[in-house]
Amino acid sequence: MPWVWKGYGGKGYNKGGFQGGKGMSKGYGGGKGYSSRPQPLPEGFTVDPNTVFTGTVITYYKFQGYGFIAPDQKGALPGDKVFVFWKNIKSADRFPSLLKDSQVQFTVSVVERRGVQTLQAENICSVGGEPIAVQDEVDQKKTFVGGQNLRYTGTLKFFSPKQGFGYIKIDPGFQYDREGVPEEIRVEQQEMNCGGGNPESAENLQVEFGIWVTQKGVFKGYNVTLPGGVPLPVAAPAA
């Protein structure tokens, strides 16, 4: 039986999403990689927001959209690492992401998170200023239904940027080269193609997409666009 959407907070949402699942709750709520309380800045610490740092991505959780960078300039930043969020990555990919051990450049700003003044990386890009481009390397490791370039059509039942996923109902009539493709498949945020921008909330939107299969045999949406390959609408910048 295909998954049935019962609205935000229904059974499918809670089990498959970030509330109580394996995503945001563990990553942002005290699980591995990101402590429940950000590291506070030493009293009197300041940083020039125009200073460009270089560094190495020490970890990045692509499904949660965050990670940490170790600056090359040792001792310049408290703890010798800085938090990075996907919205601050300059990227030419479908969705901004980073690869562990990759070299990047960035600026730093002081932000307040959970009532604590802490540091956050901004303007993350390749060393030299070019946009980050990692999707081709990631795509090479995927297994596709019908091949990487085969496109299917369907309806994006919903997509929630806050939760980082949505569900697509595939149009009937397709034949597949693999058994078990369900009527509805999940799509992760990094497969929402907004031309390198951030996807906005959506419901009942006609889309086209590929289908890929995880190592556990789960079918998911790939490179989701509007019909004809047009990028999806980009979310309005935060006020």
Side-chain angles (χ1 to χ4, degrees):
M1 177 181 297
W3 179 89
V4 178
W5 182 38
K6 296 184 178 180
Y8 298 132
K11 290 184 178 179
Y13 172 81
N14 285 330
K15 289 184 178 180
F18 291 119
Q19 291 186 351
K22 296 182 179 179
M24 193 75 74
S25 296
K26 288 189 177 181
Y28 277 87
K32 65 177 183 179
Y34 184 40
S35 63
S36 58
R37 184 174 177 83
Q39 179 182 0
L41 292 175
E43 185 176 353
F45 178 85
T46 60
V47 62
D48 184 348
N50 297 314
T51 298
V52 176
F53 296 88
T54 58
T56 301
V57 179
I58 53 177
T59 187
Y60 190 81
Y61 303 99
K62 64 179 181 179
F63 292 110
Q64 288 78 39
Y66 76 92
F68 292 90
I69 300 171
D72 293 333
Q73 296 77 13
K74 300 301 182 184
L77 301 176
D80 282 331
K81 70 177 181 179
V82 61
F83 177 80
V84 54
F85 191 51
W86 65 268
K87 289 185 177 181
N88 298 321
I89 300 171
K90 294 184 175 181
S91 177
D93 291 339
R94 292 186 298 275
F95 186 79
S97 185
L98 296 173
L99 295 179
K100 183 180 179 181
D101 297 327
S102 59
Q103 299 295 306
V104 296
Q105 75 176 44
F106 57 97
T107 59
V108 174
S109 64
V110 177
V111 298
E112 183 173 320
R113 209 163 60 238
R114 297 192 179 95
V116 174
Q117 292 287 311
T118 188
L119 296 180
Q120 178 171 287
E122 309 277 354
N123 304 308
I124 302 102
C125 59
S126 298
V127 176
E130 292 297 316
I132 300 289
V134 299
Q135 71 182 29
D136 289 343
E137 182 177 346
V138 174
D139 288 350
Q140 290 176 359
K141 301 176 182 179
K142 286 184 169 73
T143 299
F144 296 93
V145 175
Q148 182 176 356
N149 297 320
L150 186 60
R151 305 292 282 169
Y152 303 89
T153 59
T155 301
L156 181 65
K157 297 182 66 176
F158 82 93
F159 176 78
S160 169
K162 182 177 181 180
Q163 303 305 323
F165 74 96
Y167 271 84
I168 298 171
K169 183 175 182 180
I170 304 173
D171 288 339
F174 288 107
Q175 294 183 343
Y176 307 108
D177 62 355
R178 299 176 67 98
E179 295 183 355
V181 179
E183 295 179 13
E184 299 181 4
I185 57 174
R186 175 167 165 150
V187 56
E188 309 292 350
Q189 188 154 327
Q190 62 267 26
E191 294 298 341
M192 299 288 285
N193 188 343
C194 299
N198 305 323
E200 65 179 7
S201 297
E203 289 188 30
N204 298 320
L205 183 67
Q206 295 299 306
V207 293
E208 73 173 46
F209 52 92
I211 303 175
W212 70 287
V213 191
T214 70
Q215 293 182 348
K216 295 183 178 180
V218 179
F219 296 90
K220 294 190 176 185
Y222 166 75
N223 191 16
V224 180
T225 67
L226 296 176
V230 177
L232 295 163
V234 177

